Amino acid sequence: MIKRLAFLLFTTLFLMACGAKKRTVHANKTPSVSQVNEPKKHIESVPGNKNDAYPMPEDTGEFIKFSITSVEDYIETFSEIAQFEMKAYGIPASITLAQGILESGAGRSTLTQRTNNHFGIKCHTEWSGDYDFHDDDEKGECFRKYNHPMYSFRDHSEFLSSRARYSFLFDFPSDDYKNWATGLSKAGYATDKHYPQKLMSYIEQYQLHKYDTDIVNQGYVAKIEPKEYDYMTHTVQKGDTLYSLSQRYFVSIEELMKLNKMKDTGLSVGQQLIVKTAKSK
């Protein structure tokens, strides 16, 4: 009963802090034309609480959309969530906020308005939740959809902390936003060559690093579980590239080249490559 009351109090305070004008409830609508022949999926479970992470609001099946008017409004709305995630997962709050601003257009992009997807995370094979389609690197790509923005922030933390290609980021101090920004690009989070500079520009322009300092000064050190990996052999097929393989196996292009002692990025059909990916738990 005490835990239940605490949960209700936290959720109430959070929604009050966001302001009544920001919270809009939309019932799930009929799938778009491109989804008519697809089996409709629903969120089966909310990402679990790791390292005493704050609880998620109950998923009522309703789509909760926040009306954000500016970058400053976005920061005010989501900075506390980014700090909670930093406490639990060790990802700099500044990086989370900067990625959210960049990937979601400060919460105002068409994709984010339809999906609450603040980080541009695509479906991938393991996703069992709701989804929507959007033109990105390719036409009609599948993106994850969440009924509440907080689910997107939690999934972002789980996404980065559970994939082998991002594991080296957690060797950096959790207030070292410069190495994190560079490392995200190096690991292939985005194809934009200027991705690190864009993240750092937001962080410095809006002084987002102060949110990291606050958490570090509180003495929080996230306990990231050590990862175990599976090594296997992949036979190169027509159309394979190191980038596509890095996305498939969640390992960086640099590590693929290192594992296979490659001097350049060229591949040939039938070539045998050693790949590694984090073991599923």
Side-chain angles (χ1 to χ4, degrees):
M1 177 62 73
I2 293 176
K3 289 184 178 179
R4 177 63 176 170
L5 289 173
F7 168 76
L8 291 173
L9 176 61
F10 173 84
T11 303
T12 301
L13 290 174
F14 171 76
L15 293 174
M16 288 175 63
C18 291
K21 70 181 182 68
K22 294 182 177 22
R23 184 175 182 273
T24 309
V25 179
H26 298 273
N28 286 330
K29 297 180 179 180
T30 303
S32 62
V33 174
S34 59
Q35 292 175 281
V36 170
N37 296 321
E38 294 287 339
K40 187 64 177 174
K41 298 182 181 179
H42 299 281
I43 294 176
E44 295 179 354
S45 62
V46 177
N49 295 336
K50 181 179 179 181
N51 301 324
D52 298 321
Y54 65 89
M56 294 284 98
E58 182 180 357
D59 183 8
T60 63
E62 293 178 312
F63 186 80
I64 310 298
K65 182 170 70 174
F66 287 12
S67 298
I68 305 296
T69 59
S70 65
V71 173
E72 291 85 356
D73 194 15
Y74 186 93
I75 295 167
E76 181 183 357
T77 302
F78 296 112
S79 58
E80 188 174 16
I81 296 177
Q83 286 185 307
F84 276 121
E85 292 298 319
M86 180 176 175
K87 290 178 182 179
Y89 291 85
I91 301 165
S94 62
I95 287 291
T96 298
L97 287 169
Q99 281 196 281
I101 293 167
L102 180 57
E103 298 284 351
S104 75
R108 294 171 290 173
S109 74
T110 301
L111 176 65
T112 301
Q113 289 292 299
R114 289 204 318 261
T115 65
N116 277 328
N117 189 329
H118 285 247
F119 301 96
I121 299 180
K122 297 176 184 177
C123 293
H124 301 295
T125 55
E126 79 276 13
W127 180 245
S128 61
D130 204 353
Y131 56 85
D132 202 347
F133 298 100
H134 184 74
D135 294 347
D136 192 51
D137 294 327
E138 297 178 8
K139 188 174 181 179
E141 292 190 273
C142 182
F143 284 85
R144 301 182 183 191
K145 183 177 181 180
Y146 315 88
N147 280 340
H148 196 291
M150 291 170 72
Y151 299 165
S152 179
F153 278 76
R154 174 57 53 79
D155 196 32
H156 172 259
S157 297
E158 294 282 0
F159 187 83
L160 292 184
S161 63
S162 65
R163 282 159 172 73
R165 63 188 170 118
Y166 298 115
S167 60
F168 71 94
L169 293 172
F170 294 90
D171 293 330
F172 299 132
S174 56
D175 58 348
D176 185 359
Y177 69 85
K178 292 183 179 179
N179 270 325
W180 269 83
T182 302
L184 281 167
S185 181
K186 184 178 178 181
Y189 192 97
T191 56
D192 184 351
K193 294 180 180 179
H194 302 293
Y195 197 73
Q197 290 75 23
K198 290 179 180 179
L199 293 181
M200 287 187 274
S201 176
Y202 279 123
I203 290 170
E204 290 161 7
Q205 180 180 354
Y206 295 99
Q207 299 183 29
L208 302 181
H209 44 75
K210 68 183 179 183
Y211 298 108
D212 303 336
T213 303
D214 288 345
I215 301 304
V216 170
N217 288 343
Q218 291 176 34
Y220 279 92
V221 178
K223 299 177 181 178
I224 304 299
E225 298 175 5
K227 298 179 180 61
E228 297 181 357
Y229 301 100
D230 284 323
Y231 291 84
M232 61 193 79
T233 301
H234 174 85
T235 302
V236 176
Q237 307 292 318
K238 184 178 179 180
D240 280 349
T241 64
L242 285 182
Y243 177 74
S244 67
L245 293 177
S246 74
Q247 298 292 304
R248 177 174 177 177
Y249 293 106
F250 308 115
V251 60
S252 69
I253 292 174
E254 183 179 73
E255 188 152 14
L256 275 174
M257 294 181 70
K258 184 177 179 181
L259 281 171
N260 293 279
K261 300 179 181 178
M262 299 172 64
K263 295 182 179 179
D264 58 58
T265 58
L267 297 176
S268 56
V269 174
Q271 181 179 352
Q272 300 287 305
L273 292 179
I274 298 172
V275 296
K276 84 172 187 178
T277 188
K279 287 183 177 179
S280 18
K281 299 180 179 179

